Amino acid sequence: MTISLLEIKELLPPDVKLLAVSKGQNESAIRSLLYNGQCDFGESRLQEALPKINKLSDMKSIKWHFVGRLQSNKVRGVVKTFDVIHSVHSLSLCERISRISGEENRSPQIMLQVKFREDTAKVGLSREELLDIWPKFKSLPNINITGLMTIPPINLDSDDRQQLFLECRNLSDSLGLKDCSMGMSRDWREAVHAGATWIRVGTLLFGNRV
Ligand SMILES: *Cc1c(COP(=O)(O)O)cnc(C)c1O
């Protein structure tokens, strides 16, 4: 089942932005959303993204967001090609992004990935850890930290997901950050309800990944 770009946009409050997660989708699928006015696209693997980014370099309106697990040896490639990184999961990774952004004369927008429940399948800072080292994040040059990103554990029901998303919104607010990147194909409604500013939707828009 999929939803059209226009349908989902109509359902979103004006302050919620849609990131079309195009991993596993080809260039022509991306172009067809571009022609309908979608500019923000998300990828989770640098190797997969680079050929697509190159093929679409004629499309000047496109903005690339990195949403995947970022390995330190991929930071330079990501900093050079992506405008926004949603998945910064540690201080050391953020320090590296900051240093390399300076070297490459870039200033990426950053969201910090937070884990609000135990979840061995995911990386992320805990709430306590983030509150503890927040001044260090804040002092890093060449980057612009605008918010938090979270992915709920797979086994939560709808109410628990909504509760988790509210915790993310509250933590963002308490740090004075505007963005919450939260909600995917299956749970974007709960995320919007809880105050998401970015929802990251893949299969619901594009259909199954190849
Ligand atoms: C793949 C992915 C998405 C999109 O997932 P769908 O279920 O296809 O909507 C969103 N966020 C992240 C971090 C992803 O890796």
Side-chain angles (χ1 to χ4, degrees):
M1 216 210 57
T2 60
I3 188 169
S4 78
L5 183 63
L6 295 181
E7 269 176 295
I8 192 166
K9 283 205 161 162
E10 215 146 79
L11 294 168
L12 294 180
D15 51 341
V16 182
K17 285 166 288 210
L18 172 66
L19 178 63
V21 178
S22 52
K23 68 181 185 209
Q25 312 293 346
N26 61 26
E27 177 209 343
S28 69
I30 297 173
R31 269 188 205 275
S32 74
L33 290 195
L34 264 167
Y35 293 138
N36 284 295
Q38 176 67 23
C39 296
D40 293 284
F41 290 87
E43 289 283 337
S44 59
R45 287 177 56 241
L46 182 64
Q47 310 90 296
E48 181 193 335
L50 282 178
K52 289 193 242 179
I53 292 174
N54 283 331
K55 282 185 199 156
L56 290 159
S57 59
D58 58 313
M59 306 298 294
K60 298 300 175 208
S61 62
I62 204 166
K63 205 167 161 186
W64 292 102
H65 298 237
F66 192 84
V67 300
R69 192 179 291 204
L70 180 50
Q71 295 163 292
S72 54
N73 64 341
K74 300 285 160 51
V75 167
R76 191 172 301 274
V78 166
V79 161
K80 283 165 82 165
T81 39
F82 287 80
D83 301 295
V84 188
I85 309 173
H86 288 237
S87 45
V88 178
H89 55 75
S90 73
L91 180 61
S92 62
L93 179 64
C94 204
E95 287 168 339
R96 190 178 178 90
I97 293 170
S98 166
R99 175 173 60 75
I100 291 177
S101 296
E103 291 167 9
E104 300 289 344
N105 208 3
R106 301 273 294 167
S107 54
Q109 181 187 338
I110 299 288
M111 285 176 251
L112 302 176
Q113 186 170 356
V114 181
K115 219 163 56 159
F116 290 90
R117 302 285 184 277
E118 272 306 309
D119 187 352
T120 50
K122 289 187 188 71
V123 290
L125 296 145
S126 71
R127 183 178 177 281
E128 292 68 33
E129 201 181 352
L130 175 57
L131 286 170
D132 201 37
I133 56 179
W134 172 239
K136 294 191 173 140
F137 279 108
K138 241 187 126 170
S139 68
L140 293 174
N142 316 315
I143 58 169
N144 179 21
I145 302 176
T146 65
L148 307 180
M149 180 273 223
T150 196
I151 311 172
I154 197 88
N155 58 349
L156 294 193
D157 67 22
S158 175
D159 286 350
D160 289 341
R161 286 201 298 257
Q162 181 143 346
Q163 175 58 38
L164 184 153
F165 291 144
L166 281 170
E167 290 172 35
C168 189
R169 182 66 264 170
N170 288 337
L171 183 57
S172 245
D173 288 345
S174 71
L175 298 174
L177 297 170
K178 85 173 183 328
D179 282 321
C180 281
S181 168
M182 55 191 190
M184 309 175 22
S185 288
R186 68 186 187 122
D187 55 13
W188 65 272
R189 288 169 194 273
E190 293 103 303
V192 166
H193 206 248
T197 59
W198 280 102
I199 58 168
R200 309 179 309 269
V201 180
T203 47
L204 186 65
L205 264 180
F206 286 103
N208 287 335
R209 287 183 271 275
V210 288

